[in-house]
Amino acid sequence: MTVSSGKSRSSSDQPPVVLAVGAHPDDVEINCAGTLKALQDIGCAIHVATMTLGDCGSKELPSDEISCMRRAETEEACRILGARYHYVGSRDFCIFNDDVHNRHTTALLREVAPQIVLTHSPGDYMLDHDNTSVLVRNACFYAPAPNYDCSRFGAAPALSAIPHLYYWDVMEGVDIFGKRMAPGFYVDVSGEMELKSRMLAAHRSQREWLRVQHGMDEYLDTMRNWAAACGREASAITGPPAGGKPGSADRTIAYAEAFRQHLGHAYPRDNILAVLLPSRVVGNADY
Ligand SMILES: [Zn+2]
């Protein structure tokens, strides 16, 4: 299992390179595709990675067949966005915070060399998501350490710095105890919903799977409904949007994606997304 190679490092005079890491195919599309599109529109190179190929995402097909199908679906979704796709190399329900996964994930970070990383939030509903969150958090910290050897999984050198790390919303916005996990801020993606929907629709195998497993018949509608709920939360926030003009707080936001920034020791604490997308970021409460 090796990390796909990519050569899109940016120098300081170029827009940041962005990497979104989901546990499974479709996680990125559901949670942050609108924000990725907005960042791409200002010149950012976009990379999308999944820890697995979604090999348990079917009741009928064997794991190798559904993996093949879901890889093709994910690559199609990435083509729609114009993103480069990376498969890290794990399997469904087998994403663990162990040495091999940490070195794989760190090799991905070194290969892509992003300045901005987006991934699952800690405390999400399933441990594949939770563990991906921890692995990506670790990889952001480990990737600049030259003595951390990832040569089994990639040849790229250590990063020069820890990237900005963001967590997207937990599933249905609630933690495992059913409490709303308050976002730090929202990104207005009203103008990106058509593309976000087309990307999610590329995951054709999953609509049927989710209908059987989760009782969700309307794959796209569920995504749209949640983005609309985040839009209502964003619209309700008082105070001007970050970078917005005074008096501009009363706009209605149809669709939004919600995020929190990792602000622990050594990680960048400035909200680069608010700087890059000043008219879209709403509710900079934590900064
Ligand atoms: Zn998932």
Side-chain angles (χ1 to χ4, degrees), residues 223-244:
M223 179 275 286
R224 272 196 209 99
N225 289 341
W226 181 246
C230 288
R232 286 192 294 276
E233 288 184 352
S235 299
I237 290 173
T238 56

Side-chain angles (χ1 to χ4, degrees), residues 80-101:
I80 291 169
L81 177 63
R84 186 182 179 103
Y85 173 63
H86 307 258
Y87 166 48
V88 179
S90 191
R91 299 177 72 84
D92 285 357
F93 311 151
C94 299
I95 303 173
F96 301 119
N97 180 14
D98 60 19
D99 188 59
V100 169
H101 279 81

Side-chain angles (χ1 to χ4, degrees), residues 23-27 120 125-126 129:
H24 315 109
D26 83 7
D27 287 329
H120 295 279
Y125 78 106
M126 70 173 300
H129 289 191

Side-chain angles (χ1 to χ4, degrees), residues 207-262:
R207 184 177 179 195
E208 180 60 16
W209 156 246
L210 287 175
R211 190 185 66 76
V212 173
Q213 181 76 359
H214 294 188
M216 293 162 57
D217 192 28
E218 297 298 332
Y219 191 39
L220 299 184
D221 283 351
T222 301
M223 179 275 286
R224 272 196 209 99
N225 289 341
W226 181 246
C230 288
R232 286 192 294 276
E233 288 184 352
S235 299
I237 290 173
T238 56
K245 294 175 182 168
S248 61
D250 291 332
R251 63 186 171 138
T252 298
I253 295 166
Y255 298 103
E257 292 170 342
F259 298 93
R260 294 184 294 167
Q261 185 173 2
H262 186 101

Side-chain angles (χ1 to χ4, degrees), residues 158-180:
L159 298 186
S160 59
I162 297 173
H164 290 73
L165 174 59
Y166 294 90
Y167 302 120
W168 58 64
D169 221 347
V170 288
M171 178 66 82
E172 298 173 341
V174 294
D175 64 18
I176 58 171
F177 304 104
K179 293 187 69 173
R180 179 71 176 111

